[in-house]
Amino acid sequence: MRTILVILMVGSVLVSSAAAEARQLNLMPMPAALQMQAGQLVIDPAFSVGISGHSDAQLQRTVERFLDDLRRQTGMPPLDMKITNPAQATLVVHCEHETKAVQELGEDESYSLEISAAGAKLEATTTLGIMRGLQTFLQLVQTTSDGFVAPAITIQDKPRFPWRGLMIDVGRHFIPLDALKRNLDGMAAVKLNVFHWHLSDNQGFRVESKKFPKLTEMGSDGLYYTQDEVRDLIAYAHDRGIRIVPEFDMPGHSTAWFVGYPELASGPGPYQIERKWGVFDPAMDPTQERTYKFLDAFIGEMTKLFPDQYFHIGGDEVNGKQWDTNPQIQAFMRAHGLKTNQDLQAYFNTRVQKIVSKHGKTMVGWDEILRPDLPKDIVVQSWRGQDSLAAAARQGYRGILSYGYYLDLMWPASRHYAVDPMSDGAANLTPEEKQRILGGEACMWSEYVSPENIDSRIWPRTAAIAERLWSPQDVTDVNSMYQRLDYVSRWLDWLGLTHNSSYGPMLRRIAGSNDISTLRTFTDVVEPVKDYTREEIATVEATSLSPLSRVVDAARPESDTARHFADLVDALIAGQADPSAKQEVRTLLIRWRDNQSNLQALGTQSFLLTEIIPLSQDLSAVATTGLQALDYLDRGERASDDWATQQFAVLAEAQKPKAQLLLMVAPSVQKLVEASSGQKAPSPQK
Amino acid sequence: MRTILVILMVGSVLVSSAAAEARQLNLMPMPAALQMQAGQLVIDPAFSVGISGHSDAQLQRTVERFLDDLRRQTGMPPLDMKITNPAQATLVVHCEHETKAVQELGEDESYSLEISAAGAKLEATTTLGIMRGLQTFLQLVQTTSDGFVAPAITIQDKPRFPWRGLMIDVGRHFIPLDALKRNLDGMAAVKLNVFHWHLSDNQGFRVESKKFPKLTEMGSDGLYYTQDEVRDLIAYAHDRGIRIVPEFDMPGHSTAWFVGYPELASGPGPYQIERKWGVFDPAMDPTQERTYKFLDAFIGEMTKLFPDQYFHIGGDEVNGKQWDTNPQIQAFMRAHGLKTNQDLQAYFNTRVQKIVSKHGKTMVGWDEILRPDLPKDIVVQSWRGQDSLAAAARQGYRGILSYGYYLDLMWPASRHYAVDPMSDGAANLTPEEKQRILGGEACMWSEYVSPENIDSRIWPRTAAIAERLWSPQDVTDVNSMYQRLDYVSRWLDWLGLTHNSSYGPMLRRIAGSNDISTLRTFTDVVEPVKDYTREEIATVEATSLSPLSRVVDAARPESDTARHFADLVDALIAGQADPSAKQEVRTLLIRWRDNQSNLQALGTQSFLLTEIIPLSQDLSAVATTGLQALDYLDRGERASDDWATQQFAVLAEAQKPKAQLLLMVAPSVQKLVEASSGQKAPSPQK
């Protein structure tokens, strides 16, 4: 262990010393160690790659794909930039051996990259490290006055955690294969290595089973992946250094199974595909041998389809109601000394784990599965937090963190970025216990995502989570993160991700017009409500049949404009704003104040605008308040308490969610009012 | 003939009367006849389609695709909007019979569409008409205060010409299959029905031949379509009501053939794939029987691969130099009484025509092939103009017009729109001769296009050409065209066309920064130079190896901003501008004047900006001039002759191409100077 620790420390030191220099580098995740050098490497049409050392088809494809990416980024035609003899190549790629046919947890992803004015060398133990290093190379390429260049640099890089994942729930809303592929491209770009595919839920069963065809025939609305498509995606992921871990959620979250196979359930059928969101009663019957017979055959089929060593059985959120009301199940519990539904679920998990193990796989499940009678090789995925993860680690279980990484909660990137798998309860683990914390996973639960807006929920925020899981623990500068995130976000456009490009078309649909300047001004400063508020305050219950075409579906999870405005206001109040920054605050406030009259006019032409008019009025009112506060500050005159009280009321109203949106510039205007009046805004009422 | 003429006239009358009402409809091409009705049909999640009458797999796919498009447009999930029983359906689709397995020239594309508040009915003879009518339906769907609606309307529609094409040259720059597919989607959206695939040229041979594998092995740089891919694209096109006509250009434009098969050429080899643009010497040897033996086998293979009745042999631009210098060819000409190279090419064409005919196909070629000894069933594609087309028609030959529809010449949509196949020489043809004018084709020659910018060269301008070829001849209102073109351009975004979405990423690459506001302000008001000026004024010769990443490659063929500015200035000078329009002119001029200092600063950070700085300086100078002129006009004061002379010099300089770009706002500023000074600008020097 000591060796590893020393290397990590050295890595940290190097990063710290390089961090200031590296500010202008657009690397994300930040490498473990880097050293800027003098000079730069010009990337022109003569650029070439040579493969020395081990070579195989996967490595060839990796380099071809890298060249495609580099050509796209620089606008070079396919006739330029070739694979050539290593002796003549601009970039020499050298790896020692191939990756495993089935990528393994903890397989070596390290690489070293050396770029000088004369050329570049990328070395790695396996093709996996080459994949990671080539992404770093792409991120280094910049447009400069000398042409496209990569700065001279030395990088020694390796991941902090071996399990760095993204989960996508395709059960609640089906996400087609092409959308998954572009998201896998995005994952590879930020060095994530596990795609956790949540394949079944109450609202849909999404994988073809040859043994149990009614699972999709009756449980998918025709929206599922064939086994050929699954194999295609697995190969696609493998080529990008990404493992695919399938999840089939059981014994709860399984209504879609019961539509075709009601005999699996604990209550009488028939069942329908669930259209609503939430936790529902149907659960598998853990007391019937036919359940295990079915699962044995099903898991046998699926473990052959999915080559990864890990197999996720879900195991979360069983409300137990069907068990409580089924006399046969109650009798079984009494007969076997199972006192609680948790005991019954533990019994189920033990049985299922044996099946998974029999088929040669290692079981993964959510927090709830953890019971000391399960073997130590299982992996716990924690939505509960680091304490839960630490408790598991102390008991000898490996775990991955998803608490703090739920993308559907619409948190800002900075909040995800602050969540570290090794913090809180995990901070005091022994080195051996810490080894059991494998990493984490960003989770895209899909109640409110469609192929159109899913990318905007995943990206760019997931890049910040990817950095948390790859980079050294002390890489925590939020300003630097946002600066690089902005670059990465636009860089991901080259891969066909639609988080930026879908915004305009969605706004045009909402506006019913090509002129969306007014609507964009509004939408740029709002965010969808956070956590589970969207359900809580809904006036009409959302279902899987609800169109996702509202402003709340187009608005970004995090308003860059509001964040920028907040920075300006903070500087202004601190007396650190230059005249142009002061002017920008005023210009923004005037634009927001005047936006409402245009939006009101537009509102009469589109039903999708009606709901946002009250919040647009709030924006106008808040901006008016802000301008008045600015005038006080400019004049050096203290605003009256009465005025401040009035404005705080305006601001309190404006901070109430409307149309399931939050007005993100209100808190900064509140600061202006506070600064101009010397008054503190009353705490918001709960 | 009389019946047809009467119907056409009735159609025209209906259009004229409906034209005013139809202004706010975003239909393009405008239908032959339409009548607005009272009311509207709401399009909500319950919307459904029923198929009555004939049904087959192609029609089912057509309706499924329509529903996908409608869902995308309206943001509905896949669970909404279904195919259902016609008795319950919102939209009933009724067609009498299927389309031909191989789509034929002149196959019935007519349809009638009736929409009322209660429902809609689409009727057609064949699935082709249904395809066209469903596109019309999609264009009618609008966002309104009542939800998504289609207005109540009655439409009787059919095309004016049976051959409405788009040619894409994949020889000079290879265009991958996915880019072709999205362009086929665009074609279907505006009712084009022929994709003319220019598959070979000096710079590349792009189709796999099993009989002559060296064609692609040595002549394609590895950039070609396999036969499976060709079949895939043909099926894709057929499903969208589009014929695919392949072109293999011969005997000239054929260097790429000779790399693998030098024995076909008229001069000694070896040959290399051509990297430059232009007309080159290599040509097939028309005097050798082995040439025809090769072509017989090759055409035999290709006519099996491409099912369309028409087969394009190119036949353009043979410079004859290889023939002049080959003694054996000269001897052959003397022996056969062939006096000129044109005679020799005619001999070649006659031989090739017999081969094409033997394989059951009808030959198509460019203007040059037309010689009276060819049979009357061939089709002439005219790049020379309507007179040439008319001459052919008088001789009994059918023809299609491409003169005036060359997209690579960077003309504004209005200029293409004004070109009518039946004008000029063709206007005085007899009705029988007019029947021989089959239609036209927009042509995308690819010297300066890549997969990244090709869509922006084709769209939206091709939609205006599509209207010219589909709609009645009297649909010519340019303002209405531009208004609808703007809508169609954004509507095409839903199909994944990248003419709008590629602009931002290209500018970001050029700027080397995410902040492209300054660069965009500049690029929005410039256009690439017109016609063949790009070659003529190039300081470095462009080749197929040249990156297409300059501002000239990102700038749109037509500047919407400049056109809008021209409209504002015209209104202002005519005394018809309201205060807000006057203010907008001033605001734009101020922005352009001040843009240069920011762009200059940006320019130091990117080599791709250096070349535009002089034109950006011109923009600033021109805007300064415009502001001064505006001041004179505002004050009602006449500007001095000296001042006007000075400004005309500034404007003359600013209208010289720089960085192969034209400053499109200069002519409007010139008008302001003329109006404020009463002076006329001197005519530009040639």
Side-chain angles (χ1 to χ4, degrees):
Chain A
M1 274 318 300
R2 288 200 67 165
T3 325
I4 289 173
L5 276 176
V6 168
I7 292 170
L8 274 173
M9 284 173 61
V10 171
S12 302
V13 170
L14 281 179
V15 165
S16 301
S17 73
E21 282 183 274
R23 274 292 151 73
Q24 78 279 24
L25 292 177
N26 293 314
L27 296 172
M28 189 164 228
M30 189 59 82
L34 65 83
Q35 205 71 50
M36 298 295 294
Q37 310 290 347
Q40 57 192 20
L41 176 66
V42 173
I43 315 289
D44 63 15
F47 181 89
S48 61
V49 182
I51 299 174
S52 76
H54 169 78
S55 180
D56 60 22
Q58 192 193 26
L59 181 61
Q60 285 278 340
R61 288 195 301 273
T62 300
V63 172
E64 292 284 8
R65 216 165 44 241
F66 161 75
L67 285 175
D68 281 345
D69 289 344
L70 185 58
R71 288 188 200 106
R72 208 178 307 127
Q73 223 175 297
T74 56
M76 306 274 181
L79 299 180
D80 296 334
M81 299 184 166
K82 292 280 175 199
I83 298 186
T84 184
N85 185 324
Q88 281 122 37
T90 325
L91 168 64
V92 176
V93 160
H94 182 97
C95 81
E96 289 169 27
H97 57 76
E98 64 200 350
T99 58
K100 307 279 169 117
V102 175
Q103 189 177 327
E104 289 178 4
L105 173 66
E107 215 176 321
D108 193 340
E109 297 175 274
S110 68
Y111 67 91
S112 68
L113 175 62
E114 216 179 305
I115 302 177
S116 73
K121 179 144 203 182
L122 173 62
E123 293 181 307
T125 313
T126 76
T127 310
L128 275 184
I130 299 297
M131 290 178 196
R132 308 303 175 229
L134 289 175
Q135 294 295 337
T136 301
F137 191 96
L138 289 171
Q139 290 187 341
L140 287 167
V141 176
Q142 302 165 353
T143 314
T144 71
S145 54
D146 302 321
F148 296 109
V149 307
I153 198 168
T154 310
I155 291 177
Q156 298 285 341
D157 201 9
K158 63 177 179 180
R160 180 174 166 220
F161 293 107
W163 188 306
R164 305 177 309 280
L166 169 65
M167 187 216 75
I168 296 182
D169 165 16
V170 299
R172 289 174 177 79
H173 274 106
F174 179 70
I175 304 297
L177 215 60
D178 62 335
L180 296 183
K181 283 186 176 175
R182 65 180 189 243
N183 277 286
L184 286 170
D185 288 339
M187 289 177 66
V190 296
K191 303 183 172 65
L192 291 173
N193 67 355
V194 180
F195 174 54
H196 168 175
W197 204 355
H198 183 85
L199 282 160
S200 68
D201 217 301
N202 299 306
Q203 294 81 3
F205 191 98
R206 305 300 183 195
V207 174
E208 175 191 28
S209 164
K210 310 259 191 208
K211 288 194 175 155
F212 305 103
K214 286 189 285 183
L215 284 170
T216 52
E217 278 167 21
M218 301 179 71
S220 78
D221 296 299
L223 301 167
Y224 67 95
Y225 313 98
T226 65
Q227 295 202 352
D228 279 345
E229 288 174 327
V230 168
R231 277 185 284 268
D232 177 35
L233 199 76
I234 289 168
Y236 192 91
H238 186 256
D239 253 12
R240 285 151 183 80
I242 297 171
R243 299 163 43 212
I244 293 193
V245 176
E247 176 184 353
F248 296 96
D249 209 344
M250 59 185 83
H253 284 284
S254 47
T255 309
W257 307 52
F258 305 153
V259 186
Y261 300 94
E263 63 273 22
L264 289 175
S266 304
Y271 291 88
Q272 303 291 323
I273 297 176
E274 185 59 57
R275 301 300 180 199
K276 297 184 176 181
W277 312 132
V279 175
F280 298 94
D281 301 349
M284 290 180 188
D285 187 342
T287 70
Q288 299 290 340
E289 282 310 307
R290 65 169 179 252
T291 303
Y292 301 107
K293 199 170 157 224
F294 182 104
L295 288 176
D296 187 17
F298 175 77
I299 291 172
E301 185 183 8
M302 290 300 135
T303 50
K304 281 195 191 67
L305 181 60
F306 291 92
D308 198 80
Q309 178 58 34
Y310 292 80
F311 191 89
H312 203 305
I313 61 114
D316 56 323
E317 298 185 321
V318 181
N319 72 10
K321 285 194 189 163
Q322 277 199 338
W323 295 347
D324 293 342
T325 54
N326 181 326
Q328 208 175 351
I329 291 176
Q330 292 303 312
F332 180 93
M333 288 173 72
R334 282 189 299 275
H336 290 75
L338 302 167
K339 297 203 175 63
T340 65
N341 285 334
Q342 285 71 35
D343 292 340
L344 181 58
Q345 190 176 347
Y347 167 80
F348 174 82
N349 288 340
T350 308
R351 296 286 305 264
V352 171
Q353 189 278 328
K354 289 206 176 84
I355 293 170
V356 170
S357 177
K358 175 185 132 187
H359 291 291
K361 303 287 179 170
T362 306
M363 188 169 94
V364 189
W366 298 97
D367 279 311
E368 290 94 324
I369 66 160
L370 187 66
R371 296 273 289 214
D373 41 354
L374 281 176
K376 299 297 181 206
D377 75 333
I378 67 155
V379 174
V380 177
Q381 178 167 18
S382 180
W383 57 269
R384 288 183 178 153
Q386 292 92 331
D387 292 351
S388 170
L389 209 57
R394 286 202 189 85
Q395 294 172 55
Y397 292 102
R398 293 174 302 164
I400 50 180
L401 186 69
S402 281
Y403 165 86
Y405 302 141
Y406 270 29
L407 300 167
D408 54 314
L409 302 188
M410 301 287 168
W411 293 3
S414 55
R415 189 166 169 191
H416 293 304
Y417 194 62
V419 176
D420 194 296
M422 290 297 187
S423 66
D424 296 326
N428 298 319
L429 293 174
T430 67
E432 196 183 344
E433 288 161 357
K434 280 187 174 174
Q435 282 281 72
R436 295 184 192 127
I437 312 276
L438 301 176
E441 276 186 9
C443 289
M444 182 72 268
W445 298 106
S446 69
E447 281 90 343
Y448 301 108
V449 301
S450 66
E452 185 175 46
N453 75 350
I454 187 169
D455 293 16
S456 73
R457 275 60 191 132
I458 297 177
W459 306 104
R461 294 180 302 155
T462 293
I465 299 172
E467 173 155 294
R468 176 58 49 244
L469 298 172
W470 175 283
S471 303
Q473 189 165 7
D474 64 352
V475 175
T476 53
D477 182 327
V478 171
N479 287 335
S480 163
M481 181 276 285
Y482 271 120
Q483 201 177 324
R484 291 176 290 119
L485 192 66
D486 183 49
Y487 171 83
V488 166
S489 173
R490 285 300 178 178
W491 180 61
L492 292 172
D493 286 345
W494 296 119
L495 302 177
L497 287 162
T498 64
H499 56 302
N500 292 313
S501 64
S502 68
Y503 191 54
M506 289 185 83
L507 295 189
R508 271 184 283 277
R509 176 201 294 139
I510 291 167
S513 160
N514 280 356
D515 181 3
I516 53 169
S517 52
T518 306
L519 176 58
R520 187 190 285 263
T521 296
F522 172 83
T523 313
D524 276 352
V525 297
V526 297
E527 292 176 9
V529 289
K530 307 298 157 186
D531 303 320
Y532 297 105
T533 314
R534 186 159 173 179
E535 266 97 3
E536 290 158 18
I537 64 172
T539 47
V540 180
E541 186 177 9
T543 71
S544 54
L545 297 155
S546 308
L548 296 173
S549 53
R550 297 165 57 200
V551 175
V552 65
D553 300 307
R556 274 84 179 261
E558 182 167 15
S559 161
D560 288 340
T561 307
R563 186 160 43 78
H564 176 62
F565 181 70
D567 288 345
L568 290 172
V569 166
D570 286 348
L572 190 148
I573 290 172
Q576 290 160 351
D578 61 22
S580 80
K582 277 188 185 171
Q583 185 51 47
E584 194 181 349
V585 170
R586 187 173 288 277
T587 305
L588 286 169
L589 288 168
I590 290 171
R591 186 189 306 157
W592 296 333
R593 181 194 64 194
D594 298 345
N595 197 59
Q596 158 57 12
S597 59
N598 297 323
L599 194 62
Q600 180 87 42
L602 202 65
T604 59
Q605 76 190 34
S606 165
F607 73 110
L608 290 166
L609 289 174
T610 314
E611 65 173 348
I612 64 165
I613 299 300
L615 197 59
S616 170
Q617 286 164 341
D618 287 351
L619 175 62
S620 181
V622 160
T624 304
T625 295
L627 286 164
Q628 290 171 5
L630 219 53
D631 288 342
Y632 281 116
L633 289 169
D634 276 358
R635 292 195 302 266
E637 181 187 334
R638 197 180 157 198
S640 73
D641 291 358
D642 273 4
W643 176 84
T645 307
Q646 271 177 0
Q647 307 315 313
F648 289 140
V650 167
L651 287 160
E653 176 60 31
Q655 290 181 73
K656 289 182 190 158
K658 297 185 179 76
Q660 298 177 321
L661 292 167
L662 293 171
L663 192 57
M664 300 312 291
V665 295
S668 295
V669 170
Q670 187 161 306
K671 286 186 186 174
L672 287 174
V673 173
E674 289 174 345
S676 63
S677 66
Q679 296 292 310
K680 228 23 211 160
S683 303
Q685 292 167 337
K686 274 284 164 194
Chain B
M1 274 319 298
R2 289 199 66 164
T3 326
I4 290 172
L5 276 174
V6 169
I7 292 170
L8 275 174
M9 285 174 60
V10 171
S12 302
V13 170
L14 281 177
V15 166
S16 302
S17 74
E21 282 182 273
R23 275 291 151 72
Q24 77 279 24
L25 292 176
N26 293 315
L27 295 173
M28 190 165 225
M30 189 58 82
L34 64 83
Q35 206 71 52
M36 298 295 295
Q37 310 290 347
Q40 58 192 19
L41 176 66
V42 173
I43 315 288
D44 63 15
F47 181 89
S48 60
V49 182
I51 298 173
S52 76
H54 169 78
S55 181
D56 59 24
Q58 192 193 26
L59 182 61
Q60 285 277 339
R61 287 194 301 273
T62 300
V63 172
E64 292 283 10
R65 213 165 47 239
F66 162 75
L67 285 175
D68 281 345
D69 289 344
L70 185 57
R71 287 188 201 107
R72 208 177 308 129
Q73 222 175 300
T74 56
M76 306 276 180
L79 299 180
D80 295 334
M81 299 185 166
K82 291 279 175 199
I83 298 185
T84 182
N85 185 324
Q88 281 123 37
T90 324
L91 167 64
V92 175
V93 160
H94 182 95
C95 81
E96 288 168 28
H97 56 76
E98 63 200 352
T99 58
K100 308 280 169 109
V102 176
Q103 190 177 327
E104 290 179 4
L105 174 65
E107 216 177 320
D108 192 340
E109 298 175 273
S110 69
Y111 67 92
S112 68
L113 175 63
E114 215 178 305
I115 302 177
S116 73
K121 179 144 202 182
L122 173 63
E123 293 181 308
T125 312
T126 74
T127 310
L128 276 184
I130 299 297
M131 290 177 195
R132 308 302 175 229
L134 289 174
Q135 294 296 337
T136 302
F137 191 96
L138 289 171
Q139 290 188 341
L140 287 166
V141 176
Q142 303 165 351
T143 314
T144 72
S145 55
D146 302 320
F148 297 108
V149 307
I153 198 168
T154 311
I155 292 177
Q156 298 284 341
D157 201 8
K158 63 175 180 184
R160 182 174 164 220
F161 293 107
W163 189 306
R164 307 179 308 281
L166 169 66
M167 187 217 75
I168 296 182
D169 165 16
V170 299
R172 289 174 177 79
H173 274 107
F174 179 71
I175 304 297
L177 215 61
D178 62 334
L180 296 182
K181 283 187 176 175
R182 65 181 189 241
N183 278 287
L184 286 170
D185 289 339
M187 290 176 65
V190 296
K191 303 184 172 65
L192 291 174
N193 68 355
V194 180
F195 173 54
H196 168 175
W197 204 355
H198 183 85
L199 282 161
S200 67
D201 217 301
N202 298 307
Q203 294 80 5
F205 191 98
R206 305 300 183 195
V207 174
E208 175 191 27
S209 164
K210 310 258 191 208
K211 288 195 176 154
F212 304 103
K214 285 188 286 183
L215 285 169
T216 52
E217 279 167 20
M218 301 180 71
S220 77
D221 296 299
L223 301 168
Y224 67 94
Y225 313 99
T226 66
Q227 295 202 354
D228 279 345
E229 288 173 328
V230 168
R231 278 186 283 268
D232 177 34
L233 198 76
I234 290 168
Y236 192 91
H238 186 256
D239 253 12
R240 284 151 183 81
I242 297 171
R243 299 163 44 214
I244 293 192
V245 175
E247 176 186 352
F248 296 95
D249 209 343
M250 60 184 83
H253 284 284
S254 48
T255 308
W257 306 53
F258 305 153
V259 185
Y261 300 94
E263 64 274 21
L264 289 175
S266 304
Y271 292 88
Q272 302 293 322
I273 297 176
E274 185 58 59
R275 301 299 181 200
K276 298 184 176 181
W277 312 132
V279 174
F280 299 94
D281 302 348
M284 289 181 189
D285 187 343
T287 70
Q288 299 289 340
E289 282 310 307
R290 65 168 178 251
T291 302
Y292 301 108
K293 199 171 158 222
F294 183 104
L295 289 176
D296 187 17
F298 175 76
I299 291 173
E301 183 183 11
M302 290 300 134
T303 51
K304 281 194 190 67
L305 180 59
F306 290 92
D308 198 80
Q309 178 58 35
Y310 293 80
F311 192 88
H312 205 304
I313 61 113
D316 56 324
E317 297 184 322
V318 181
N319 72 10
K321 287 194 190 163
Q322 276 199 338
W323 295 346
D324 294 342
T325 54
N326 181 325
Q328 208 176 351
I329 291 176
Q330 292 302 313
F332 181 93
M333 288 172 72
R334 281 191 299 276
H336 290 74
L338 301 167
K339 295 202 175 63
T340 66
N341 284 334
Q342 286 70 36
D343 294 338
L344 181 59
Q345 191 176 348
Y347 168 80
F348 174 81
N349 288 340
T350 309
R351 295 287 306 263
V352 171
Q353 189 278 328
K354 288 206 176 86
I355 293 170
V356 171
S357 178
K358 175 186 134 187
H359 292 292
K361 302 287 180 170
T362 306
M363 189 169 93
V364 189
W366 297 95
D367 279 310
E368 289 94 325
I369 67 159
L370 188 65
R371 297 273 291 213
D373 41 351
L374 281 175
K376 300 296 181 205
D377 75 333
I378 66 154
V379 174
V380 177
Q381 179 166 18
S382 180
W383 57 268
R384 289 184 176 152
Q386 292 92 332
D387 293 350
S388 170
L389 208 56
R394 287 203 188 86
Q395 294 172 54
Y397 292 102
R398 294 174 299 165
I400 49 180
L401 186 68
S402 281
Y403 166 84
Y405 302 142
Y406 271 29
L407 300 167
D408 53 314
L409 302 187
M410 301 286 169
W411 294 2
S414 56
R415 188 166 169 191
H416 293 304
Y417 194 62
V419 176
D420 193 298
M422 290 297 187
S423 67
D424 297 325
N428 298 319
L429 294 174
T430 66
E432 196 184 343
E433 287 160 358
K434 281 189 173 172
Q435 283 281 73
R436 296 185 190 125
I437 312 277
L438 301 176
E441 277 187 9
C443 290
M444 181 73 267
W445 299 107
S446 68
E447 282 89 345
Y448 302 107
V449 301
S450 66
E452 185 175 47
N453 76 349
I454 188 169
D455 293 17
S456 73
R457 275 61 190 130
I458 297 177
W459 307 104
R461 294 179 302 155
T462 293
I465 300 172
E467 173 155 294
R468 175 58 51 243
L469 298 173
W470 175 282
S471 303
Q473 189 165 8
D474 65 351
V475 176
T476 53
D477 183 328
V478 171
N479 288 334
S480 163
M481 180 275 286
Y482 272 120
Q483 201 176 326
R484 291 176 290 118
L485 192 66
D486 183 50
Y487 171 82
V488 166
S489 173
R490 284 300 179 179
W491 179 60
L492 292 172
D493 285 345
W494 295 120
L495 302 176
L497 286 161
T498 63
H499 56 302
N500 291 312
S501 64
S502 67
Y503 192 52
M506 288 185 83
L507 295 189
R508 271 184 283 276
R509 175 201 294 138
I510 292 167
S513 159
N514 280 355
D515 181 4
I516 52 170
S517 53
T518 307
L519 177 58
R520 187 190 285 261
T521 296
F522 172 84
T523 313
D524 276 352
V525 297
V526 297
E527 292 176 8
V529 288
K530 307 298 157 186
D531 304 320
Y532 297 105
T533 314
R534 185 159 175 181
E535 265 96 5
E536 290 157 19
I537 63 172
T539 47
V540 180
E541 187 177 9
T543 71
S544 54
L545 298 155
S546 308
L548 296 173
S549 52
R550 298 164 56 200
V551 174
V552 67
D553 301 307
R556 274 84 178 259
E558 183 167 14
S559 160
D560 289 340
T561 307
R563 186 161 42 78
H564 176 62
F565 181 69
D567 289 345
L568 290 173
V569 166
D570 286 348
L572 190 147
I573 290 172
Q576 290 162 350
D578 62 22
S580 79
K582 278 188 186 173
Q583 185 52 48
E584 195 181 349
V585 170
R586 188 173 288 278
T587 305
L588 286 169
L589 288 168
I590 290 171
R591 188 190 306 157
W592 296 332
R593 181 195 63 195
D594 298 344
N595 198 59
Q596 158 57 12
S597 59
N598 296 322
L599 194 60
Q600 179 88 44
L602 203 63
T604 60
Q605 77 190 35
S606 164
F607 72 110
L608 290 166
L609 289 174
T610 314
E611 64 173 348
I612 64 165
I613 298 300
L615 198 59
S616 171
Q617 284 163 343
D618 287 351
L619 175 62
S620 181
V622 161
T624 304
T625 294
L627 286 164
Q628 289 170 5
L630 218 54
D631 287 342
Y632 281 116
L633 290 168
D634 276 358
R635 292 195 301 265
E637 181 188 332
R638 200 181 154 197
S640 72
D641 291 357
D642 274 4
W643 176 84
T645 307
Q646 272 177 1
Q647 307 315 313
F648 288 141
V650 167
L651 286 160
E653 176 60 31
Q655 289 180 75
K656 290 183 190 157
K658 296 185 180 75
Q660 298 176 323
L661 292 167
L662 294 171
L663 192 57
M664 299 311 292
V665 295
S668 295
V669 170
Q670 188 160 303
K671 286 186 186 175
L672 287 174
V673 173
E674 289 175 345
S676 63
S677 66
Q679 296 292 311
K680 221 35 203 154
S683 303
Q685 293 167 335
K686 273 284 164 192

